[in-house]
Amino acid sequence: QVQLVESGGGLVQAGGSLRLSCAASGHTFSSYGMGWFRQAPGKEREFVAGVNSSGGRTSYADSVKGRFTISRDNAKSTVYLQMNGLKPEDTAVYFCAVAKGSGTYILVNSYNYWGPGTQVTVSS
């Protein structure tokens, strides 16, 4: 059974940084793309960043490009999201997810396993 556990969320002031981690188990981690999504209150879940199975290709939402960096360590079955220059509009619950394939994907329905999420709150 695939399990994902996010960590690293918290409260930070605008301009600050956080690093999210997502530890995965129960599947062949290195065979699948991974993604980070976020959901703010009253809004739909949206794509933040994705990385392919090898870690050699990444994609980002325009709203976080240049500020966030996704990476993965296949030896540790862990994917990371380094978030710099945080803004109040980045406040949301952040979810990691396992993709159905090995590439990078931006659509929610391209992923079939999800973590419970971790709260990120950015104060102004």
Side-chain angles (χ1 to χ4, degrees):
Q1 184 175 352
V2 178
Q3 290 190 320
L4 302 171
V5 179
E6 302 99 337
S7 61
L11 173 64
V12 64
Q13 288 189 331
S17 298
L18 284 174
R19 189 194 195 203
L20 304 184
S21 299
C22 172
S25 62
H27 75 299
T28 308
F29 183 79
S30 60
S31 295
Y32 297 92
M34 295 292 295
W36 285 97
F37 287 73
R38 66 187 181 187
Q39 189 166 17
K43 295 188 175 181
E44 293 190 351
R45 192 167 297 190
E46 65 174 3
F47 172 77
V48 175
V51 61
N52 73 338
S53 58
S54 69
R57 191 166 68 248
T58 58
S59 61
Y60 297 92
D62 287 343
S63 59
V64 307
K65 206 170 288 184
R67 299 187 298 123
F68 291 11
T69 303
I70 188 171
S71 62
R72 63 189 295 161
D73 184 338
N74 285 346
K76 296 182 178 180
S77 296
T78 301
V79 62
Y80 305 97
L81 186 67
Q82 178 67 44
M83 305 186 294
N84 299 328
L86 283 161
K87 305 175 181 180
E89 51 264 43
D90 294 318
T91 295
V93 177
Y94 283 71
F95 301 88
C96 69
V98 181
K100 296 177 181 177
S102 61
T104 60
Y105 311 91
I106 65 172
L107 298 178
V108 169
N109 61 12
S110 295
Y111 295 79
N112 53 7
Y113 296 103
W114 296 82
T118 185
Q119 176 71 47
V120 171
T121 303
V122 184
S123 64
S124 56

